[in-house]
Amino acid sequence: MDKQEVKAFFDKTIAENEDLSVGVVAIMTLMKIIEKYQDNTVQGLDENLKLGILAIKTSDYPVTAINSGCELFMRFITLAKLDYNSFEQCRNVMLERGNIFLNRLKQCRAKIVKLATKFIADGSKVLTHSRSRVVLQTLIEASRQGKQFEIYVTKSAPDNSGDVMCKNLTSVGIPCTLILDSAIGYVMEQVDFVMVGAEGVVESGGIVNKVGSYTMAVCAKEMKKPFYVLTESFKFSRLFPLNQGDLPPEYKYSASARQLDERDFKKIHPLVDYTPPFYITLLFTDLGILTPSAVSDELIKLYL
Amino acid sequence: MDKGKQTNAPSKGGKVDGDGLTKKERRALKVQEKNKQHPPDNKKDSQNAPAMKTEPAKPANVPPGQLSEKELRRLEWEKKLAEQKPKPEKSENDNISKAELKARRREQQEAQRLAKQQQQKPPEKAAEVKKAAPSPKKVEKKKVSDSRRLQIVSHLYSDASFSNASVYKNVHPAFVRLGVQYSTKKILGSNARARALLAAVKCLINDLQTPPKQEFCRYLETVLQTCMDYLQLCRPLAVSMTNALRHFKTKLHQVECLEDNVKKEKLLEEIETYVAEEIDKAGEAISLKVNEKISNGDVILTYGCSSLVTKILKDAHLAGKQFKVVVIDGRPLLEGRTMLQRLVQIGINCTYVQMNAVSYVMNQATKLLLGAHALLTNGYVMSRIGTAQVALVAQAFSKPVLVCCETYKFSEQVLTDSFVYNELGDPEMLFTANTLDESSPLVTSKNDNLQILNLLYDVTPPDLITAVVTELAILPCTSAPVVLRIKP
């Protein structure tokens, strides 16, 4: 598959599977590349995969989850190339492992939902930021269990994804209030806890998420409200940002914006920010409920 | 402190235990016994250890010790008599006249004083041994007198010191030299100490001749143990050293049955790979990782002297990055000067400030780079005294603090304060030229109200540290136990 094909497939899959995270779609795309690969050399396949990853990253979707998904895939699925002699055998093993991996990823969310619904008590008020699929599902599941609660959602500029979240919630009958991004401080005293998703979880135990999450976390800490993060474990990545400035530009700015203004990123609005572990109370993942410091332990187990 | 008071005030010395002796008395007796056994030992010592030859017959300025042999025995005898008497009469204490009691006490005190003088003599000898090799001029190092000891760190004083140094007659010259270098702080840094130790072990392996009917590795282990005991006396071992040594010992046990020469070569090779991998390559890897975090226009703060931080900054400079360094320095060691010298030689733009200016320079900083003595299991960083303070100020200004530490310095210890386990420096280092000129209480050593504390290390809690850079990855401090677990 060449670059254009990869991109087209990636975009199409995202459009078709509204419900999937971009990281999972990226892995699906890589699987497709392996399937469609025509030559018979492992070396060639490897090159092709790397090109594919590059193509996916230059698309206009958030790179954070794509990065960690691809890294995991390259590390664990394509490692099979070392174990087998014939190429066909090798390819089959990769595909098999890939499918197992994908299935497991798709079950992640259910596990998180199960863990997190317990934390939503009857009559509680929850603040959330932007739109996160796993948060949405958790809230829906909690409501289905008959819990009565109220949600505040930020509008979340620049893409106003909070609007969509609010519509999704009201459609299933959960009382929901849309608030301005600048009103986070105003509503914080009323809410019981904050629940957000994450685009990526970094080695420090902090998260990379839609811009505004950091503001919310700082406010929550100041008002002593718990700050919960719901995230799948494939979003863990081996990155250690020291502060906002230390986040790689590819995470912060979309590919198209980077091309437009290559030298001076100052003028572009960042899409994500980094929330240090200090502000996070708990992380709900498919590995269980973790404290921020446990993230690094899991990463060490995975990669070292 | 207490000891001094006890001898002065007889009423306090009166705590009598089951055998009718005070603690003091028992100790005095012990010392006497030891001294009876010692003299031949000392002679042997002066013959055997070449580096300890600075021990002429005995200087004339120790008469109380000299005449002691007989006199002490007499005193002891008298004291015993004196004690045997009152034992049955304990209850009749009232019957004894006050004068008698006083006389008896005076006798006891006399004995104690003598015993004490004897006790203090061996350390003097030790001091001579210490100084023997490099500079015999610096001999006048005063021992910390008891009265100047701080109660809270009383467990850190090692007064046994060299008093039984004579036991260590089998110490290899390389280790003798090393011991002197350690104790005079010629070799100071954690990495440097580990390197020097391994180099000395290499010397030892090269020179070692197995006596007949002995196995090489076993023999080496015993010899090494005496050498290490000797080093321990010179200066407590660093965590890096104990870890390196532990690694070496496991390798020592793994060496299969081969000829001695082959074993020697294998062990030498092991040491070389250890130095290359755990220290050199780890340093390279850390430098690469930190360099990703150094960008143009950075102002990097560093404290004291660290070979690793120097290397990192050097690499960043050579990579063409534009940055400034602020070297913070603290008394009494003033290691920052060495650091400054190295950095300026490399051509890095530097600023030098003392610790008391930290808060002034902190707001200009973009990040902190610190070295470490050890990283503890609970995530605390043990480092040169003052590091915790710098980290605290950095935290107050919310600047990222990076601690650079190779994984071979990770320790299984758990500490939460600087008192439980630490090392004491020479308290005289806290005197400056100024204080010496005046009649400062620091110099007049008789002042019982003054205690001087010179700790060498402190521990920094993990919440003051953004990340630890190891050769494996950049990690939060709290991951230290996981790293220890996965390390072979």
Side-chain angles (χ1 to χ4, degrees):
Chain A
M1 281 168 95
D2 66 0
K3 234 177 168 181
Q4 248 62 45
E5 274 179 295
V6 172
K7 253 187 178 170
F9 179 80
F10 183 66
D11 290 338
K12 203 184 84 193
T13 327
I14 285 192
E16 279 171 7
N17 301 286
E18 223 316 86
D19 207 31
L20 285 182
S21 153
V22 279
V24 178
V25 178
I27 292 171
M28 287 166 77
T29 318
L30 293 183
M31 296 276 293
K32 195 81 188 167
I33 294 174
I34 297 180
E35 234 172 83
K36 286 211 167 175
Y37 182 67
Q38 278 145 6
D39 295 338
N40 277 329
T41 62
V42 174
Q43 197 80 34
L45 180 63
D46 216 31
E47 301 257 304
N48 217 330
L49 282 173
K50 275 177 190 155
L51 274 178
I53 292 176
L54 208 68
I56 299 171
K57 274 192 196 171
T58 46
S59 65
D60 251 351
Y61 292 95
V63 180
T64 322
I66 297 177
N67 236 357
S68 54
C70 291
E71 204 172 319
L72 266 180
F73 187 83
M74 290 303 279
R75 196 169 174 96
F76 292 104
I77 311 305
T78 60
L79 267 189
K81 67 190 173 210
L82 302 173
D83 302 341
Y84 298 92
N85 294 329
S86 91
F87 180 75
E88 270 317 306
Q89 206 179 1
C90 182
R91 192 212 308 254
N92 287 339
V93 171
M94 280 189 200
L95 287 176
E96 199 180 311
R97 285 188 193 178
N99 278 324
I100 297 172
F101 186 52
L102 269 179
N103 281 333
R104 204 178 293 162
L105 287 188
K106 284 171 188 165
Q107 287 160 15
C108 284
R109 211 172 281 160
K111 284 185 197 164
I112 299 168
V113 168
K114 204 175 163 194
L115 291 173
T117 43
K118 288 178 194 157
F119 279 67
I120 302 175
D122 234 349
S124 51
K125 288 182 181 176
V126 185
L127 176 63
T128 184
H129 183 54
S130 185
R131 179 171 184 274
S132 152
R133 296 183 193 88
V134 61
V135 171
L136 182 61
Q137 268 190 28
T138 307
L139 296 176
I140 292 174
E141 176 61 27
S143 144
R144 197 181 299 154
Q145 288 171 4
K147 286 175 180 162
Q148 299 287 320
F149 51 90
E150 207 183 320
I151 306 291
Y152 290 94
V153 186
T154 51
K155 200 170 165 73
S156 185
D159 58 358
N160 295 339
S161 47
D163 287 337
V164 188
M165 181 74 164
C166 194
K167 260 178 223 157
N168 293 149
L169 287 170
T170 35
S171 68
V172 291
I174 301 172
C176 176
T177 317
L178 196 66
I179 63 164
L180 288 176
D181 292 344
S182 41
I184 290 175
Y186 178 83
V187 295
M188 194 57 83
E189 62 175 30
Q190 307 170 41
V191 302
D192 293 308
F193 58 87
V194 182
M195 195 177 249
V196 297
E199 278 183 29
V201 181
V202 294
E203 188 118 37
S204 61
I207 58 164
V208 176
N209 196 28
K210 178 75 181 285
V211 68
S213 305
Y214 180 41
T215 323
M216 197 176 263
V218 173
C219 274
K221 186 85 188 172
E222 180 59 34
M223 303 274 203
K224 301 179 181 66
K225 310 284 181 187
F227 188 84
Y228 297 138
V229 176
L230 275 54
T231 180
E232 296 95 333
S233 64
F234 77 86
K235 286 177 179 170
F236 288 15
S237 76
R238 296 194 67 197
L239 187 78
F240 202 122
L242 300 176
N243 44 27
Q244 309 295 334
D246 198 31
L247 268 185
E250 56 169 13
Y251 282 33
K252 286 191 279 191
Y253 313 111
S254 68
S256 48
R258 266 181 289 146
Q259 271 166 2
L260 282 180
D261 205 345
E262 209 152 73
R263 259 153 290 144
D264 194 11
F265 291 143
K266 258 188 215 164
K267 299 280 162 63
I268 320 174
H269 298 301
L271 295 175
V272 295
D273 59 16
Y274 163 62
T275 308
F278 173 70
Y279 297 102
I280 296 169
T281 317
L282 287 175
L283 293 136
F284 295 76
T285 73
D286 46 296
L287 303 171
I289 302 174
L290 306 178
T291 56
S293 58
V295 172
S296 147
D297 303 0
E298 294 294 338
L299 274 168
I300 293 174
K301 271 190 226 159
L302 258 181
Y303 285 100
L304 296 180
Chain B
M1 191 176 87
D2 288 338
K3 286 176 200 165
K5 271 185 193 161
Q6 271 179 14
T7 41
N8 292 340
S11 56
K12 272 197 184 172
K15 264 191 238 156
V16 182
D17 283 293
D19 53 354
L21 295 177
T22 62
K23 267 189 188 173
K24 267 273 126 135
E25 283 167 343
R26 246 178 282 134
R27 200 177 302 159
L29 283 174
K30 258 188 215 163
V31 172
Q32 283 164 12
E33 275 168 24
K34 226 187 230 171
N35 281 325
K36 270 182 226 162
Q37 296 159 0
H38 252 298
D41 256 35
N42 284 347
K43 262 183 218 162
K44 236 194 257 166
D45 171 31
S46 53
Q47 284 166 358
N48 283 350
M52 302 177 189
K53 59 193 164 200
T54 43
E55 207 178 279
K58 250 174 199 178
N61 58 353
V62 280
Q66 275 292 47
L67 89 160
S68 65
E69 272 306 315
K70 268 187 190 172
E71 202 147 303
L72 262 175
R73 227 172 288 162
R74 188 173 56 83
L75 268 167
E76 196 186 331
W77 175 242
E78 279 175 4
K79 203 173 58 186
K80 265 187 192 162
L81 278 182
E83 276 161 15
Q84 272 166 7
K85 259 187 241 164
K87 236 184 189 172
E89 305 168 353
K90 266 259 151 106
S91 50
E92 310 158 23
N93 247 356
D94 302 357
N95 298 347
I96 307 168
S97 71
K98 275 190 180 172
E100 259 179 332
L101 259 177
K102 260 188 192 166
R104 204 176 297 153
R105 276 189 196 139
R106 205 167 300 140
E107 250 176 9
Q108 284 181 5
Q109 278 174 39
E110 203 91 66
Q112 282 167 6
R113 206 168 300 146
L114 270 175
K116 212 177 177 191
Q117 273 164 341
Q118 284 237 313
Q119 226 177 0
Q120 278 175 348
K121 209 178 52 161
E124 269 177 31
K125 205 201 304 165
E128 282 170 3
V129 174
K130 235 196 227 173
K131 300 300 146 50
S135 54
K137 265 192 177 177
K138 274 165 76 185
V139 181
E140 311 94 40
K141 209 187 209 178
K142 268 178 271 167
K143 261 265 147 182
V144 195
S145 66
D146 286 355
S147 60
R148 283 214 179 180
R149 293 190 168 185
L150 207 58
Q151 201 81 60
I152 191 168
V153 289
S154 56
H155 59 290
L156 296 176
Y157 296 97
S158 62
D159 39 14
S161 256
F162 284 83
S163 58
N164 36 14
S166 52
V167 180
Y168 305 107
K169 52 196 173 192
N170 271 335
V171 177
H172 188 276
F175 279 85
V176 175
R177 200 179 57 213
L178 192 62
V180 174
Q181 283 169 332
Y182 282 163
S183 62
T184 54
K185 310 263 188 312
K186 279 258 159 54
I187 297 181
L188 191 55
S190 195
N191 274 343
R193 275 161 84 188
R195 270 178 212 270
L197 172 68
L198 289 174
V201 174
K202 265 160 91 178
C203 275
L204 176 68
I205 295 175
N206 268 329
D207 296 349
L208 198 68
Q209 296 288 340
T210 329
K213 291 192 182 171
Q214 288 231 44
E215 207 271 322
F216 176 75
C217 290
R218 295 271 170 81
Y219 182 63
L220 174 60
E221 203 173 351
T222 49
V223 174
L224 189 60
Q225 193 52 52
T226 29
C227 291
M228 290 320 291
D229 290 346
Y230 169 76
L231 284 186
Q232 176 84 44
L233 284 187
C234 300
R235 195 184 159 184
L237 302 183
V239 173
S240 57
M241 289 161 66
T242 30
N243 282 350
L245 205 68
R246 192 191 305 145
H247 175 85
F248 176 70
K249 278 187 183 162
T250 49
K251 290 291 173 210
L252 194 62
H253 291 299
Q254 284 166 8
V255 175
E256 295 139 28
C257 304
L258 293 166
E259 278 181 39
D260 281 5
N261 282 338
V262 188
K263 275 181 195 169
K264 273 187 186 183
E265 260 171 39
K266 265 205 159 180
L267 288 173
L268 290 177
E269 214 172 275
E270 286 294 349
I271 294 180
E272 266 160 31
T273 40
Y274 187 82
V275 173
E277 279 177 13
E278 299 288 327
I279 307 181
D280 293 339
K281 278 190 190 154
E284 302 264 326
I286 292 172
S287 171
L288 280 179
K289 295 214 163 75
V290 178
N291 267 302
E292 288 168 19
K293 301 285 177 202
I294 297 179
S295 43
N296 281 337
D298 263 351
V299 179
I300 296 166
L301 256 69
T302 167
Y303 175 69
C305 183
S306 154
S307 54
L308 185 55
V309 173
T310 318
K311 182 187 160 43
I312 291 166
L313 294 175
K314 184 182 176 185
D315 289 349
H317 179 72
L318 293 180
K321 283 179 182 153
Q322 302 291 318
F323 62 95
K324 277 203 290 190
V325 176
V326 180
V327 180
I328 304 166
D329 204 356
R331 292 195 58 233
L333 284 171
L334 292 175
E335 290 169 283
R337 294 186 182 177
T338 327
M339 180 84 161
L340 186 73
Q341 199 179 7
R342 290 181 195 166
L343 291 179
V344 169
Q345 264 173 6
I346 296 166
I348 297 172
N349 192 345
C350 287
T351 311
Y352 176 83
V353 296
Q354 284 289 328
M355 179 68 108
N356 34 23
V358 165
S359 62
Y360 174 73
V361 287
M362 191 57 81
N363 60 355
Q364 302 159 22
T366 53
K367 49 192 67 116
L368 260 82
L369 276 186
L370 300 173
H373 174 74
L375 190 74
L376 312 173
T377 314
N378 53 348
Y380 280 61
V381 174
M382 190 174 184
S383 195
R384 177 67 64 228
I385 188 112
T387 308
Q389 191 188 336
V390 176
L392 185 68
V393 178
Q395 155 90 359
F397 282 80
S398 42
K399 306 288 181 189
V401 181
L402 289 175
V403 172
C404 309
C405 182
E406 300 92 341
T407 51
Y408 88 102
K409 286 192 203 158
F410 280 43
S411 161
E412 269 140 36
Q413 269 179 317
V414 171
L415 294 178
T416 49
D417 62 41
S418 311
F419 288 118
V420 177
Y421 173 83
N422 208 322
E423 199 184 321
L424 291 175
D426 182 4
E428 283 184 34
M429 285 206 287
L430 296 185
F431 308 173
T432 61
N434 285 338
T435 51
L436 283 174
D437 283 345
E438 304 154 18
S439 57
S440 151
L442 285 172
V443 208
T444 49
S445 53
K446 289 284 187 288
N447 196 339
D448 273 351
N449 296 324
L450 174 70
Q451 287 133 1
I452 304 169
L453 178 62
N454 180 14
L455 289 173
L456 284 188
Y457 298 107
D458 65 11
V459 290
T460 312
D463 37 337
L464 300 184
I465 290 160
T466 318
V468 179
V469 191
T470 69
E471 67 265 29
L472 299 175
I474 304 183
L475 298 168
C477 290
T478 45
S479 292
V482 192
V483 173
L484 278 172
R485 209 184 309 139
I486 62 161
K487 275 211 93 174

